[in-house]
């Protein structure tokens, strides 16, 4: 279906290039003329509507991504983006899947189904805009609707003559013509009379209302130049006291919160007026947050007031913020569902090691308990670090206990139970194509089969067979037995795709305790996006499984943690012994960024002294020899390496000298 859609797009654009009026092409721009943007007032010169109607069902189900368009048309990426912008702006296409970025690679474009053209469409739009936002001046209408100057002037004059709208002059800093709905004429006259009476009677005061208006609000746009002259251009929301702008807010929407980098109030106001205005603005921010709450953002952070960091504010202003529900966390006032606690990196690391069962009192006696708790183990080194007493070879243990091997979640080769493999298959949700279904159908339900025997059964070319088998293995339709046979496994029919993924996330939190959304996405690797995980994390928070906060001192990232765990972090026993963490350990994958930042090397073994990383090295295992290279650390760290080799019955050698060490 996808290829059919792309082939049709190619043919439609080729036909358009042959039949439409085009501007002279240049070396830089080789696209067919899709018309000009709506700002020019000319319709698109394209047959895209016919394309939309002809391929309605195909595009509605699949959509077309930006990368697919680039590969189909062989044009520069910037030209494709310009074309998408024109089609999108002029409402020939819409986004069926919205990325967080305007031209994000996840956007899928589909034809926008609209009714037939209205001859008076422009007049309807102008009338609707003036009725909703009037009185408005010419430039506000022009900027909002992007209609051509001459066309709009003629249209406004025509509508004025017809009585559809009416025009009058507002006197302020200078006379300005504005347009309004005729229904407002009587109300405006009544308001003008009431204002005159209020001015004549000093005892009568008109009630003032504090409002927050964005830069794009038609009312705020009237004051755009005066606001910029007074407060500068670094603002996104204006604070209006009645009908006058009295301040601005530099507000940013982040992935995990709404951040206010500065609140600036009119310096001409006296102290009490500024305090009154700040308190009113905070209450308006609460109303604004109701909108963001519906989109999953429930944290508001304020960093500065009048360019002064909030932790340096006068006591009265701090009291206003505190009375409105804000807590000072790491030098920023924060409001929302956040934990007020913060911890050092060492305290967080000790907590993670505790959750990972590396503390002596948390270790297991039975390897199967570790495998079930972790949902899979990567290596003997990972298994040994969490066991009391006897050491086990993971491969041998898997053979005797019929463990499954495959690319689990995260997508490492791991040993796990078949039940966990079924959970991961459901959570991955890979779709099968016809060839994959054919190969899978040749595997008996309860009998593992060799790869060579399976290839003989499917009657496919070797490359086609290997590609299909690889996809089945990645999607966990098949696993490998300890004897390297392929075995078919089922999914978990009682669990939906979303429920299975949520179970995987809950287990990861049980084993590590704390993540950022981005860190969780990086840990789970392919198939999970930070955007999807944020939705899941909020659901787990609502269910009472997780809590969140700015928990690590000196970091601005939002962390998610097991609910109730923050109260126990400082009460946990301190890990004191030295140990070696293998690169085939899931904890090493969890700490990979910290390891790279500290030791400036990639995948490596790490030496821990309690909860502190003190050394690192690369190593190669050849039979029973453990050859160390690029060692970083002191003599005590090297002693830990010697003990590690001894525990695993390996002969220790350095790469440069290839010299064996004894252990005495």
């Amino acid at each position: 279906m996808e290829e059919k859609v792309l082939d049709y797009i190619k043919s439609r654009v080729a036909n358009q290039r042959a039949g439409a009026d085009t501007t002279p092409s240049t070396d830089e721009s080789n696209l067919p003329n899709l018309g000009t943007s709506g700002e020019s007032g000319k319709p698109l010169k394209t047959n895209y509507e016919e394309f939309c109607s002809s391929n309605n069902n195909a595009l509605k189900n699949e959509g077309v991504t930006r990368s697919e368009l680039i590969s189909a048309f062989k044009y520069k990426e910037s030209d494709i983006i310009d074309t998408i912008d024109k089609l999108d702006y002029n409402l020939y296409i819409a986004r069926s899947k919205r990325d967080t970025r305007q031209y994000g690679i996840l956007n899928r474009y589909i034809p926008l189904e609209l009714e037939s053209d209205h001859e008076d469409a422009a007049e309807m739009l102008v009338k609707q805009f003036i009725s909703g936002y009037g009185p408005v001046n010419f430039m506000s209408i022009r900027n909002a609707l992007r209609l051509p100057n001459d066309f709009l002037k003629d249209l406004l004059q025509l509508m004025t003559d017809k009585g559809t709208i009416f025009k009058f002059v507002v006197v302020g800093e200078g006379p300005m013509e504005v347009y309004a709905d005729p229904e407002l004429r009587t109300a405006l006259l009544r308001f003008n009379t009431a204002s005159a009476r209020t001015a004549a009677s000093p005892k009568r005061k008109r009630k003032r209302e504090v409002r927050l208006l964005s830069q794009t609000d038609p009312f705020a746009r009237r004051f755009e130049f005066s606001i910029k002259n007074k407060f500068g251009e670094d603002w996104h929301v204006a604070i209006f006291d009645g009908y006058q702008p009295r301040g601005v807010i530099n507000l940013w929407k982040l992935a995990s919160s709404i951040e206010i980098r500065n609140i600036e109030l009119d310096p001409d106001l006296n102290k009490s007026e500024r305090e009154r205005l700040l308190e009113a603005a905070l209450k308006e921010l609460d109303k604004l947050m109701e909108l963001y709450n519906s989109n999953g953002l429930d944290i508001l952070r304020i960093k500065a007031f009048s360019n002064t960091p909030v932790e340096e504010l006068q006591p009265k202003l701090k009291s206003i913020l505190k009375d409105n529900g804000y807590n000072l966390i790491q030098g920023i006032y924060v409001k929302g569902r956040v934990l007020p606690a913060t911890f050092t990196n060492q305290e967080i690391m000790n907590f993670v090691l505790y959750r990972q069962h590396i503390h002596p009192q948390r270790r297991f006696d039975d390897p199967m308990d570790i495998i079930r708790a972790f949902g899979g183990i990567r290596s003997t080194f990972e298994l040994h670090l969490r066991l009391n007493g006897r050491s086990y070879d993971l491969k041998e243990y898997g053979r005797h206990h019929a463990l499954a091997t495959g690319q689990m979640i995260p997508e490492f080769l791991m040993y796990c139970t078949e039940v966990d493999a079924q959970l991961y298959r459901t959570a991955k949700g890979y779709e099968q194509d016809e060839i994959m279904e054919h190969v899978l159908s040749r595997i008996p339900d309860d009998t593992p089969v060799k790869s060579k025997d399976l290839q003989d059964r499917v009657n496919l070319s070797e490359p086609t067979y290997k590609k299909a088998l690889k996809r089945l293995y990645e999607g966990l339709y098949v696993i490998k037995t300890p004897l390297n046979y392929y075995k078919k496994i089922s999914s978990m029919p009682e669990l939906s795709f979303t429920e299975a993924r949520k179970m995987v996330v809950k287990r990861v939190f049980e084993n590590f305790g704390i993540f950022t959304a981005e860190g969780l996405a990086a840990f789970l690797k392919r198939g999970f996006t930070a955007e999807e995980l944020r939705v899941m994390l909020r659901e787990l928070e609502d269910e009472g499984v997780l809590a969140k906060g700015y928990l690590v001192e000196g970091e601005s990232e939002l962390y998610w943690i097991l609910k109730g765990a923050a109260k126990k972090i400082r009460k946990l026993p301190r890990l004191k012994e030295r140990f070696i963490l293998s690169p085939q350990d899931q904890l090493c994958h969890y700490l990979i960024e910290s390891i790279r930042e500290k030791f400036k090397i990639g995948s490596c073994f790490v030496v821990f002294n309690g909860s502190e990383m003190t050394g690192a090295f690369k190593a190669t295992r050849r039979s029973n020899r453990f050859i160390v290279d690029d060692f970083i650390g002191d003599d005590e760290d090297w002693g830990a390496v010697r003990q590690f080799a001894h525990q695993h019955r390996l002969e220790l050698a350095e790469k440069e000298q290839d010299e064996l060490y004894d252990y005495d």
Side-chain angles (χ1 to χ4, degrees):
M1 179 66 72
E2 192 173 83
E3 292 180 0
K4 180 180 179 181
V5 172
L6 291 177
D7 288 340
Y8 190 84
I9 293 176
K10 293 177 185 179
S11 66
R12 290 306 307 166
V13 174
N15 291 339
Q16 178 193 310
R17 291 186 66 187
D21 294 329
T22 59
T23 54
S25 62
T26 65
D27 293 337
E28 291 76 18
S29 178
N30 199 24
L31 281 173
N33 181 14
L34 295 177
T36 56
S37 69
E39 193 166 348
S40 70
K42 297 179 181 179
L44 287 174
K45 297 174 182 177
T46 178
N47 292 323
Y48 202 83
E49 285 176 302
E50 181 181 342
F51 161 67
C52 291
S53 60
S54 300
N55 287 271
N56 179 53
N57 292 330
L59 283 175
K60 183 180 292 184
N61 293 330
E62 299 291 340
V64 182
T65 64
R66 185 184 72 188
S67 17
E68 289 168 353
L69 289 170
I70 292 171
S71 62
F73 295 118
K74 309 300 181 186
Y75 295 119
K76 292 189 298 185
E77 183 174 355
S78 59
D79 293 332
I80 290 293
I81 289 177
D82 289 342
T83 304
I84 292 174
D85 188 30
K86 290 177 182 178
L87 293 171
D88 191 10
Y89 177 81
N90 290 278
L91 301 179
Y92 284 92
I93 59 175
R95 301 178 185 125
S96 63
K97 183 175 183 181
R98 182 67 184 269
D99 197 350
T100 54
R101 299 156 294 176
Q102 183 177 3
Y103 301 112
I105 58 175
L106 297 181
N107 283 334
R108 301 192 72 86
Y109 298 97
I110 60 173
L112 186 59
E113 300 176 1
L114 299 172
E115 297 179 2
S116 58
D117 294 338
H118 295 277
E119 294 182 0
D120 54 351
E123 184 175 342
M124 291 172 63
L125 283 173
V126 171
K127 170 67 174 174
Q128 186 180 51
F129 182 79
I130 292 176
S131 298
Y133 298 102
V136 287
N137 61 18
F138 175 84
M139 287 306 297
S140 295
I141 304 171
R142 164 72 174 79
N143 291 335
L145 302 181
R146 299 190 187 183
L147 295 172
N149 284 346
D150 293 339
F151 175 79
L152 182 57
K153 286 178 181 178
D154 293 342
L155 181 59
L156 289 172
Q157 185 60 51
L158 175 64
M159 295 175 69
T160 303
D161 294 341
K162 290 166 57 177
T164 308
I165 59 175
F166 81 98
K167 178 173 67 174
F168 59 98
V169 176
V170 174
V171 178
E173 297 177 358
M176 178 175 60
E177 289 186 344
V178 295
Y179 299 86
D181 192 289
E183 295 180 0
L184 288 179
R185 186 192 300 270
T186 304
L188 287 169
L189 291 173
R190 188 185 307 117
F191 176 80
N192 191 43
T193 303
S195 297
R197 290 174 181 169
T198 302
S201 176
K203 294 183 179 180
R204 296 182 61 182
K205 294 184 178 180
R206 187 173 67 241
K207 182 180 178 181
R208 294 184 300 180
E209 180 184 2
V210 174
R211 295 179 296 165
L212 304 183
L213 301 179
S214 73
Q215 281 183 333
T216 57
D217 189 283
F219 185 83
R221 290 184 77 101
R222 306 176 191 178
F223 302 88
E224 182 177 359
F225 295 108
S226 62
I227 292 174
K228 287 182 178 179
N229 288 335
K230 194 162 198 172
F231 301 104
E233 299 198 11
D234 194 16
W235 64 279
H236 300 89
V237 175
I239 304 173
F240 277 80
D241 188 16
Y243 300 98
Q244 295 299 321
R246 294 298 187 190
V248 293
I249 299 176
N250 186 359
L251 182 148
W252 291 80
K253 179 183 176 183
L254 306 182
S256 58
S257 67
I258 300 299
E259 182 175 277
I260 294 177
R261 297 179 182 174
N262 188 41
I263 299 177
E264 187 73 40
L265 298 181
D266 192 336
D268 297 334
L269 296 174
N270 60 41
K271 182 180 178 180
S272 61
E273 280 291 296
R274 288 166 64 83
E275 292 173 357
R276 178 191 67 82
L277 200 57
L278 173 61
E279 187 150 11
L282 292 177
K283 295 187 184 306
E284 288 300 304
L285 282 171
D286 289 342
K287 297 178 183 177
L288 182 62
M289 285 302 296
E290 292 177 6
L291 169 65
Y292 289 117
N293 286 344
S294 65
N295 294 324
L297 293 174
D298 60 357
I299 300 176
L300 179 61
R301 310 194 324 150
I302 301 178
K303 302 180 73 173
F305 180 77
S306 295
N307 293 314
T308 301
V310 289
E311 57 185 344
E312 300 175 12
L313 292 178
Q314 298 174 357
K316 177 61 176 176
L317 296 178
K318 287 184 177 181
S319 176
I320 292 174
L321 287 164
K322 188 174 181 180
D323 291 343
N324 280 273
Y326 290 83
N327 293 312
L328 188 62
I329 302 175
Q330 299 201 60
I332 298 175
Y333 272 103
V334 182
K335 185 174 184 177
R337 285 198 297 179
V338 291
L339 298 172
T342 57
F343 304 95
T344 65
N345 280 296
Q346 290 301 311
E347 289 172 329
I348 293 295
M349 181 67 78
N350 187 64
F351 168 64
V352 172
L353 296 177
Y354 185 84
R355 299 301 311 181
Q356 276 284 292
H357 297 270
I358 294 176
H359 282 235
Q361 63 270 37
R362 289 270 291 169
R363 291 175 183 166
F364 295 92
D365 296 321
D366 187 346
M368 189 59 72
D369 291 337
I370 303 178
I371 293 168
R372 289 196 182 103
F374 279 38
I377 291 291
R378 292 185 62 189
S379 67
T380 298
F381 295 145
E382 183 179 15
L383 183 67
H384 176 81
L385 186 58
R386 295 158 177 85
L387 270 178
N388 287 318
R390 177 187 170 187
S391 179
Y392 293 83
D393 180 81
L394 182 59
K395 191 172 182 179
E396 288 295 324
Y397 187 86
R399 182 177 295 113
H400 286 96
H401 292 79
L403 294 179
T405 59
Q407 293 184 5
M408 309 302 173
I409 299 177
E411 286 202 348
F412 294 116
L413 179 64
M414 289 197 285
Y415 290 79
C416 70
T417 65
E418 284 196 21
V419 173
D420 283 326
Q422 291 174 331
L423 172 65
Y424 294 139
R425 172 185 163 175
T426 307
K428 284 190 174 187
Y430 275 36
E431 294 184 2
Q432 295 184 69
D433 57 30
E434 293 181 359
I435 298 177
M436 292 169 63
E437 289 179 0
H438 172 67
V439 174
L440 191 63
S441 67
R442 296 299 185 270
I443 303 177
D445 289 339
D446 300 317
T447 306
V449 61
K450 290 182 179 180
S451 176
K452 179 62 177 174
D453 294 341
L454 179 59
Q455 185 177 356
D456 293 339
R457 296 179 186 182
V458 297
N459 194 26
L460 295 171
S461 66
E462 185 172 353
T464 302
Y465 163 72
K466 286 185 175 181
K467 183 178 179 181
L469 186 60
K470 180 182 177 183
R471 286 284 295 163
L472 289 170
Y473 186 64
E474 289 174 348
L476 292 175
Y477 288 92
V478 297
I479 57 172
K480 282 188 178 181
T481 68
L483 296 176
N484 214 29
Y485 284 36
Y486 285 96
K487 181 179 180 181
K488 184 193 300 186
I489 65 168
S490 62
S491 60
M492 287 186 163
E494 68 275 14
L495 284 181
S496 68
F497 171 72
T498 303
E499 290 169 340
R501 291 167 83 81
K502 189 181 290 188
M503 284 186 64
V504 170
V505 170
K506 287 173 68 175
R507 173 185 276 167
V508 167
F509 267 96
E510 286 290 336
N511 291 324
F512 291 91
I514 184 170
F515 282 93
T516 63
E518 293 77 10
L520 181 59
F523 178 82
L524 294 173
K525 301 183 76 172
R526 188 171 61 182
F528 287 82
T529 65
E531 184 178 359
E532 173 198 3
L533 288 171
R534 285 191 188 94
V535 174
M536 203 176 295
L537 292 172
R538 288 193 293 269
E539 292 175 353
L540 290 172
E541 182 184 23
D542 293 337
E543 294 170 11
V545 177
L546 301 178
K548 64 181 183 292
Y550 298 93
L551 301 174
V552 182
E553 290 181 4
E555 295 188 16
S556 60
E557 287 84 3
L558 182 69
Y559 280 84
W560 298 79
I561 190 171
L562 288 170
K563 189 168 185 179
K567 297 178 181 178
K568 303 175 183 177
I569 286 181
R570 290 196 172 97
K571 299 177 182 178
L572 296 176
R574 296 289 178 179
L575 182 64
K576 298 180 180 179
E577 65 183 53
R578 291 180 185 267
F579 65 92
I580 306 294
L581 187 66
S582 160
Q584 272 89 43
D585 193 304
Q586 294 180 75
L587 179 57
C588 196
H589 175 50
Y590 175 86
L591 298 173
I592 188 63
E593 291 302 323
S594 300
I595 294 170
R596 287 173 178 166
E597 182 179 349
K598 182 161 187 173
F599 299 110
K600 313 301 181 186
I601 56 178
S603 178
C604 63
F605 289 81
V606 181
V607 184
F608 275 79
N609 182 13
S611 58
E612 182 181 1
M613 295 186 291
T614 56
F617 60 93
K618 291 182 177 292
T620 304
R621 181 175 180 176
R622 296 176 183 169
S623 184
N624 67 332
R625 302 182 69 198
F626 193 62
I627 303 171
V628 175
D629 189 20
D630 295 333
F631 177 78
I632 301 170
D634 57 21
D635 290 342
E636 292 183 345
D637 293 329
W638 182 249
V641 177
R642 292 165 63 94
Q643 183 180 0
F644 175 81
H646 179 64
Q647 288 173 342
H648 291 277
R649 300 182 177 86
L650 300 171
E651 294 177 310
L652 183 62
E654 282 192 283
K655 185 175 181 180
E656 292 181 357
Q657 303 171 352
D658 198 19
E659 177 184 348
L660 295 182
Y661 291 81
D662 59 36
Y663 301 106
D664 297 329

